[in-house]
Amino acid sequence: MTTDITKTAATPAGDDASRTPLIRWIVTAGGLATVASTFTAWTYTDAFPGDLTVYGYPGGLQILTLVAGALVVLYGLASLGIKGLGWLAPTGTTKALWFFALGAFATTWFTTVAIAWQLGGLANLEPGAFAAAVASAVPLAAFALPDDTHKAKRPRELPSWAEILLIVAAFAVGMYVITYGIDTEYSELFTGYLITVGFAVAGLIKAGLTARLSGLTSKYRQVTVIAAFAAAIAFPFTQNTDTYTLIAVNILIFATVALGLNIVVGLAGLLDLGYVAFLGVGAYTAALVSGSTASAFDVQFPFWASVLTGAVVSLIFGVIIGAPTLRLRGDYLAIVTLGFGEIFRIAMGNLDGVSGPRITNGPNGVPNIPDLEFFGYNFGESHTVFGIELGAYANYYLLMLVAMALVIIVFSRAGSSRIGRAWVAIREDETAATAMGINGFRVKLIAFALGATLAGLAGTVQAHVQHTVVPEMYQFAGPVPPNSAFLLAAVILGGMGTVTGPLLGATLLYMIPAKLQFLQDYQLLGFGIALILLMRFRPEGLIANRRAQLEYHENDQLDVPDKGLTGSGVGITKAGA
């Protein structure tokens, strides 16, 4: 007689099966209680930002708790088999509930602890805060649920217009979430925002909803691109002032440069630790030819000419630096590029008329850079578009969107071209690629020069946005991005070899220091810890390249059932890692 002791987590037996519906109801009820608690007062004083003293409607961090609790309720109902909610979790609800429950708990307890810490004790908490803390702990019962993860079924075919509407709606929600984060007014709210969004995104991934959306975007690529840029273009029209638009402009500059570095590091596999120098070359070039009163050259190029000049000079520097150094590999190349970055910064500080020719004004840099003007459109002035007044930084934001679109096109075309495949071959194994007839030096020099050109293009706009350039802006590691360390971290964090990865990485690495001022002195420590954790748990990055994902997780497969114990009359199935 053969006994099968195979047991799957998705099909519990006995008492476990009878308790599962009860646990799901408890989790859902806890989510409802968490939502209800946000309509009570959590503190009696408005000294804590966000005004959490009002009964009847949530404010500040309570809104984030409400969102997290609502997700628990929604997926709790889906786990109970409520008709019409099955589409929310194509691959199962349990793991999604784990993350949503953690998000509600973490956001609520962060808020209550922050109130007690800032105001000086638990006496500053109203009963509503204690009720919220208890209610948010109840959904953690989801960890007692059996794992119901399964392969997603083929989705029901929808009309094309309905699928397109889903894509548009997804981008609209995504743009609202990003705008909410940029517009946060105080560090406590931004911290809670990071907690809530982080757990919510993880939950949606585990539920399989993001994978299903990804399938739709792959099916309608043109619609996806149009929707993405339409959502991005809408951002400045949602702002009343330029305060947060300036943050968005700097994020776009940072992200554009990170995409250029992604060609060098992500596609060609060249570790460049001095990449920010090419951004500086473009910025200094634009500053010197744009009519600044502090420029050593009495010239004022038009907009298009200054942009082209900055890009071409960066290209030339990329070839000059790359030609003698790209014959090196690995750590040696990294050390040489790091030296180039420092040489550039020191050289710009010495061209002051004392230590060297008077070109860059040394440590004082080149100030008073005029605003760009294109066909009579002055980017430094406010303009009314569709009845909405756009400030100066909104103009530069839209300009950087155009620049980013150009960089994305170049990256995508180059990556899928013959030269792009050669870059990947060089990255994987340069010796084998050379043996197959690829000219490794020429291919690497093209990547280096192209990356330098894209960085110089972004630098020309940065010079006019900042209205000044100084050597300290282009360090290997400094308090304010972009610098070489942050650029490299953005590429690795987001996902090397992808388009959206560096964009996400750059956004996170710029917004976090900009919003959390108290972390200024501990940025590198924090990002170092984050990179260590990333390498351990998700080495392919937040948005993984398919090839990298397969390489890093090649052993994450189900083991073949063990046939060596059949003689005992027992069939055993082993689950892989």
Side-chain angles (χ1 to χ4, degrees):
M1 178 178 178
T2 300
T3 303
D4 187 359
I5 62 171
T6 302
K7 183 183 290 187
T8 61
T11 57
D15 293 339
D16 290 340
S18 63
R19 287 198 301 264
T20 297
L22 176 61
I23 295 174
R24 296 186 191 280
W25 278 113
I26 291 174
V27 171
T28 306
L32 282 170
T34 302
V35 171
S37 70
T38 63
F39 292 87
T40 64
W42 288 9
T43 181
Y44 61 84
T45 173
D46 59 1
F48 186 82
D51 193 8
L52 310 184
T53 65
V54 182
Y55 283 88
Y57 66 88
L61 282 158
Q62 290 175 322
I63 296 176
L64 300 175
T65 295
L66 185 149
V67 172
L71 287 173
V72 172
V73 173
L74 196 60
Y75 275 81
L77 293 174
S79 71
L80 288 166
I82 302 299
K83 188 176 181 180
L85 296 180
W87 63 272
L88 288 172
T91 60
T93 58
T94 299
K95 287 188 176 180
L97 277 173
W98 293 351
F99 283 100
F100 294 143
L102 283 173
F105 177 80
T107 304
T108 306
W109 279 72
F110 165 76
T111 306
T112 54
V113 170
I115 293 172
W117 179 271
Q118 288 194 18
L119 302 184
L122 296 176
N124 295 281
L125 296 174
E126 286 282 315
F130 292 104
V134 173
S136 65
V138 173
L140 295 179
F143 284 92
L145 292 171
D147 187 2
D148 65 348
T149 302
H150 57 271
K151 186 176 181 180
K153 297 179 181 179
R154 185 178 181 85
R156 183 166 60 90
E157 289 290 336
L158 295 174
S160 297
W161 61 267
E163 293 180 334
I164 291 174
L165 281 180
L166 286 175
I167 295 174
V168 173
F171 275 101
V173 172
M175 192 62 207
Y176 176 81
V177 171
I178 293 173
T179 302
Y180 185 90
I182 294 176
D183 291 351
T184 49
E185 299 178 352
Y186 46 94
S187 59
E188 294 85 357
L189 182 59
F190 184 72
T191 304
Y193 164 83
L194 289 179
I195 295 171
T196 305
V197 171
F199 281 111
V201 171
L204 293 175
I205 292 173
K206 291 299 182 181
L209 200 59
T210 55
R212 184 149 291 180
L213 177 62
S214 178
L216 286 179
T217 57
S218 298
K219 184 178 179 181
Y220 300 97
R221 290 186 179 276
Q222 292 184 347
V223 173
T224 300
V225 172
I226 294 173
F229 277 98
I233 290 172
F235 172 77
F237 293 92
T238 65
Q239 303 299 301
N240 296 323
T241 67
D242 268 352
T243 303
Y244 301 116
T245 309
L246 175 59
I247 295 177
V249 172
N250 287 321
I251 288 174
L252 288 180
I253 293 173
F254 192 11
T256 302
V257 181
L259 269 176
L261 179 60
N262 200 22
I263 293 177
V264 180
V265 177
L267 294 182
L270 305 174
L271 184 55
D272 187 350
L273 298 182
Y275 186 75
V276 74
F278 297 118
L279 177 70
V281 170
Y284 265 101
T285 301
L288 293 174
V289 301
S290 295
S292 169
T293 56
S295 173
F297 308 106
D298 188 19
V299 294
Q300 184 171 0
F301 288 4
F303 162 70
W304 63 269
S306 63
V307 170
L308 288 179
T309 303
V312 169
V313 172
S314 297
L315 169 64
I316 294 172
F317 267 84
V319 173
I320 293 175
I321 300 303
T325 62
L326 289 178
R327 301 185 187 277
L328 302 173
R329 298 188 189 182
D331 298 340
Y332 299 102
L333 176 62
I335 292 171
V336 171
T337 55
L338 174 61
F340 163 65
E342 290 302 296
I343 289 171
F344 169 79
R345 181 178 61 83
I346 295 171
M348 294 301 100
N350 287 335
L351 298 179
D352 57 356
V354 178
S355 301
R358 185 183 177 278
I359 299 177
T360 65
N361 294 323
N364 295 324
V366 183
N368 303 322
I369 301 172
D371 287 300
L372 289 173
E373 188 169 341
F374 189 56
F375 290 112
Y377 188 95
N378 192 313
F379 284 80
E381 298 176 355
S382 298
H383 299 274
T384 301
V385 179
F386 302 122
I388 300 175
E389 184 176 353
L390 298 180
Y393 292 126
N395 300 325
Y396 284 110
Y397 173 88
L398 296 174
L399 176 63
M400 277 309 305
L401 271 184
V402 175
M404 176 172 285
L406 175 63
V407 173
I408 290 175
I409 292 173
V410 171
F411 181 90
S412 301
R413 295 292 185 181
S416 58
S417 67
R418 182 178 179 181
I419 192 70
R421 293 192 294 271
W423 286 336
V424 173
I426 290 291
R427 182 192 68 197
E428 297 299 323
D429 192 328
E430 185 172 349
T431 302
T434 303
M436 295 300 294
I438 296 176
N439 187 330
F441 172 75
R442 182 175 66 86
V443 167
K444 290 191 293 185
L445 186 60
I446 292 174
F448 209 73
L450 180 58
T453 303
L454 297 180
L457 178 67
T460 60
V461 180
Q462 184 202 36
H464 292 87
V465 171
Q466 303 288 351
H467 296 293
T468 184
V469 289
V470 292
E472 285 71 22
M473 296 170 62
Y474 309 104
Q475 304 179 41
F476 169 71
V480 179
N483 52 61
S484 292
F486 277 64
L487 288 169
L488 187 60
V491 174
I492 296 173
L493 175 67
M496 293 189 294
T498 64
V499 174
T500 53
L503 302 183
L504 175 61
T507 301
L508 291 175
L509 291 185
Y510 190 91
M511 281 182 63
I512 291 174
K515 292 293 184 179
L516 305 181
Q517 297 294 331
F518 63 90
L519 289 180
Q520 287 289 341
D521 296 333
Y522 305 99
Q523 288 181 46
L524 294 179
L525 174 63
F527 292 141
I529 295 173
L531 288 176
I532 291 173
L533 294 175
L534 189 73
M535 292 299 100
R536 170 60 183 85
F537 297 105
R538 194 172 176 84
E540 68 273 22
L542 296 177
I543 300 178
N545 176 275
R546 182 61 178 167
R547 181 197 301 271
Q549 195 170 30
L550 291 175
E551 289 176 356
Y552 284 117
H553 299 281
E554 60 183 357
N555 295 324
D556 295 355
Q557 306 293 333
L558 291 178
D559 292 343
V560 177
D562 193 343
K563 302 296 185 181
L565 300 176
T566 55
S568 63
V570 179
I572 299 177
T573 300
K574 298 191 303 180

